[in-house]
Amino acid sequence: MNLLLLNGPNLNLLGQREPDIYGYETLADIEATTQAHAEARGAALTALQTNHEGEMIDRIHAARGTVDAIIINPAAWSHTSIALLDALNAFEGRVVEVHLSNIHRREAFRHHSYISARADAVLAGMGAYGYLAAVDWLMR
Ligand code: DQA
């Protein structure tokens, strides 16, 4: 299994950005932990964080035919990006959408995610553990 971990805008600031909401773990910690978790279960995992929507779309296109499943925290693009939804619709593997916070308990504009229309599973509110749970579900 080849897994791709994608994190969207502002998630490079994890650990410093609103830690009461997003926790104190850095993105580097989360990527390393998720990669180790995947490898322990026999999967390879590569990770990308980007603040540029087109870069994320290009990476999803490149994943077609080479990646088995995408674990994605689309961050604010969840609530805005039909382009990201369309890119994921062109990807044939499984998609797990992860949010560190429970978006349904927050502002109304976070309650709708365009990505959920494509996701095979959605995890929200588990903090960084959500990424590990996504790996476990994919590798079950
Ligand atoms: C987030 C929730 C989004 O609403 C927000 O824009 C983020 C992070 C989360 O992980 O909880 O940047 O996706």
Side-chain angles (χ1 to χ4, degrees):
M1 278 277 262
N2 275 323
L3 308 181
L4 176 62
L5 173 62
L6 295 176
N7 280 288
N10 304 304
L11 293 174
N12 55 306
L13 296 180
L14 281 178
Q16 306 163 37
R17 169 197 181 209
E18 301 181 272
D20 44 320
I21 298 175
Y22 298 117
Y24 287 93
E25 267 186 85
T26 66
L27 182 66
D29 292 339
I30 288 174
E31 286 179 344
T33 306
T34 310
Q35 188 167 37
H37 197 74
E39 280 171 9
R41 280 150 190 78
L45 183 142
T46 53
L48 170 76
Q49 186 278 331
T50 178
N51 295 320
H52 305 277
E53 191 175 355
E55 187 182 4
M56 183 166 284
I57 290 168
D58 287 344
R59 186 65 189 88
I60 293 167
H61 292 177
R64 298 174 74 236
T66 62
V67 165
D68 299 298
I70 294 175
I71 298 167
I72 183 168
N73 184 343
W77 294 329
S78 315
H79 320 301
T80 62
S81 183
I82 297 168
L84 197 54
L85 169 63
D86 286 347
L88 289 167
N89 278 335
F91 172 73
E92 60 289 332
R94 289 203 167 172
V95 174
V96 182
E97 178 181 356
V98 174
H99 298 280
L100 294 153
S101 64
N102 179 359
I103 54 175
H104 302 289
R105 205 168 71 174
R106 300 181 62 195
E107 303 96 320
F109 62 83
R110 296 187 202 274
H111 296 179
H112 176 260
S113 166
Y114 285 103
I115 308 311
S116 298
R118 165 63 181 88
D120 298 292
V122 180
L123 298 166
M126 295 182 182
Y129 177 74
Y131 295 100
L132 306 184
V135 169
D136 285 344
W137 182 73
L138 288 165
M139 298 304 293
R140 81 198 187 287

